[in-house]
Amino acid sequence: MVKKAFRTNNELVEKRNKRLALILGLVALSFYLGFLISNMK
Amino acid sequence: MSTIAHANHDHHDHKPTGIKRWLFSTNHKDIGTMYLVFSLIMFFIGGSMAMIIRAELFQPGLQFVDPQFYNSMVTVHALVMIFGAVMPAGVGLANWMIPIMIGAPDMALPRMNNMSFWIMPFAFALLLGTLFIEGGGPAGGWTMYPPLVLQTGKAFPFLIFAVHFLGISSIMGAINIIATVFNMRAPGMTLMRLPLFVWTWVITAFLLIASMPVLAGAVTMLLTDKYFGTSFFNAAGGGDPVLFQHIFWFFGHPEVYILALPAFGIISQIIPTFARKPLFGYASMVYATASIAILSFFVWAHHMFTVGLPINGELFFMYATMLIAVPTGVKVFNWVATMWKGAMTFEAPMLFALAFVILFTIGGFSGLMLGITPVDFQYHDTYFVVAHFHYVLLTGAVFALMASVYYWLPKWTGNMYDEKLAKIHFWLSTIFANVLFFPQHFLGLAGMPRRIPDYSIQFADFNMVSSLGGFAYGISQLLFIYIVIKCVLGGKKATAQVWEGARGLEWTLSSPPPYHSFTKPPKVTKALMDY
């Protein structure tokens, strides 16, 4: 898969990078909000 | 090997000049350099605070600073060293080395990379600025336990926002590293061919993403408790101060491994090079690193055995803590087995790596002692704890960073460093770090509490020895600066491979590598990575 991405074009890699970054960022944000909300009474 | 080196020489090597090169940089090497320089400055700022602490503790009684300022020094020293020195140094190394180790042209998200770096100077301006405002800096300890931390004056919101910014910076850096390693590897660079340094950083990046938001949540709750009338940690309002300790250490223990795992990666690169043998048990190293990372989320309460946990809880956290010794033992065994019957030479990086293996293990053993619940009731909050975590973080993480700088400096600058001076730096550092921290074990076992500016007379001798070791260690680090500057300015030219036993993609590039490397992906073969 990595091989293909490198061969085809940089746009594809960029798109994948941004998608992964978005997912990881959302995970981090959900941890943050989750901890805050779960400790509210 | 040589074909790859040539393939990367024949492109244009334009780079921006002046301040713009650094301010708007999206180049992983420049950003890596900025991280490393920043962390070096922070080492000296944090180090000067340590000198103040050791000067005050040189003898019993109050001599130089008032207790409030002493507490500030203890607090800010820790925050600077953890968030400003060791973590950014690791990220700097990751920036410099990961792309050239995996054959990528740059980090996956270069503009975000720039942002994660430039957030840090602002965050530290906020934090260090508090030392000069009315009421002084934060003085409740780096752990920021309520209700004590809520007594902080005007410095409080600065502290909270500095921690938030540093967390954002770390999370962005972690996202970048994961995206780089998962999406940007050169053809043939399979996951199980990744250099161990890259593996340890990927795992560290996941730790960062899982633990930093928890810290951010905890300090946000502190902020709202102080200014917006909430009672997360206020018993009078139905909250619980111990809740903060649980949340903090749920971040805090993985944080320990965020500092230590990249160090493990560095050592796993250096020992095979200078033993001229492949790393013993590569796969087990990867699995051990992952095991340590996973276990690190299940041991947090060993930092709070004395708060009154249920006995079953204490036993669970004691056994879980003991369990971490297993994958850590696997790593130490593998490093020793790598050296076994190797054709070893003892250049400065190897010396620091060897010292790491021995001294980090001492820190690991004192950690095991602290992990035994009934025994911890004796050691808790004493200088034994201070000795333990300084063995892990100074002779552990910092020694690994020193080793990495000597190892990769010829690659970065194209010049060899002064080996003779580096060896002198090694011996001074090793001897005086032990003079500084070993007596603190005895002080702790004898009952000297941590975080105090004054102490009983019976602790005087060991404190004086410790302080002398501290001053000597501090002064000997100036030699490190001199060696680095001398190497940057010139010296014997380094070859591409630099070290006879070095293997991997980064050593196929010229020294220093071109500004834009691996613009055409290299082909990674098993032979390139192996002996």
Side-chain angles (χ1 to χ4, degrees), chain A residues 6, chain B residues 98-105 184-186 189 505 518 520-522:
Chain A
F6 240 122
Chain B
I98 288 178
I100 61 176
M101 280 176 155
I102 63 171
M184 308 277 284
R185 280 174 287 124
M189 180 59 84
L505 275 181
F518 295 128
K520 288 177 201 144

Side-chain angles (χ1 to χ4, degrees), chain B residues 184-345:
Chain B
M184 308 277 284
R185 280 174 287 124
M189 180 59 84
T190 57
L191 282 178
M192 288 316 266
R193 275 187 194 162
L194 283 178
L196 238 292
F197 178 72
V198 181
W199 255 121
T200 52
W201 245 115
V202 172
I203 293 166
T204 304
F206 278 107
L207 283 183
L208 277 166
I209 288 176
S211 68
M212 277 291 164
V214 179
L215 173 69
V219 296
T220 305
M221 289 183 235
L222 282 180
L223 190 78
T224 58
D225 267 12
K226 183 152 168 96
Y227 293 114
F228 301 105
T230 59
S231 297
F232 287 109
F233 310 124
N234 179 7
D240 183 0
V242 176
L243 171 68
F244 179 86
Q245 298 187 24
H246 280 292
I247 301 174
F248 181 85
W249 286 113
F250 187 79
F251 143 80
H253 201 80
E255 170 68 18
V256 173
Y257 292 101
I258 289 165
L259 305 171
L261 292 187
F264 292 167
I266 292 163
I267 301 306
S268 304
Q269 297 297 131
I270 291 175
I271 290 180
T273 297
F274 293 95
R276 290 163 182 78
K277 271 178 68 194
L279 185 68
F280 184 91
Y282 173 93
S284 69
M285 280 300 219
V286 174
Y287 299 135
T289 310
S291 310
I292 291 171
I294 292 164
L295 284 173
S296 76
F297 284 105
F298 300 99
V299 297
W300 77 88
H302 69 214
H303 294 272
M304 37 193 293
F305 279 145
T306 58
V307 295
L309 299 174
I311 191 75
N312 287 338
E314 301 216 323
L315 285 175
F316 170 81
F317 285 108
M318 178 172 86
Y319 293 137
T321 304
M322 301 283 139
L323 210 55
I324 292 195
V326 177
T328 313
V330 168
K331 286 186 149 297
V332 174
F333 172 80
N334 283 351
W335 289 324
V336 175
T338 306
M339 288 185 267
W340 177 255
K341 291 190 174 176
M344 291 207 285
T345 50

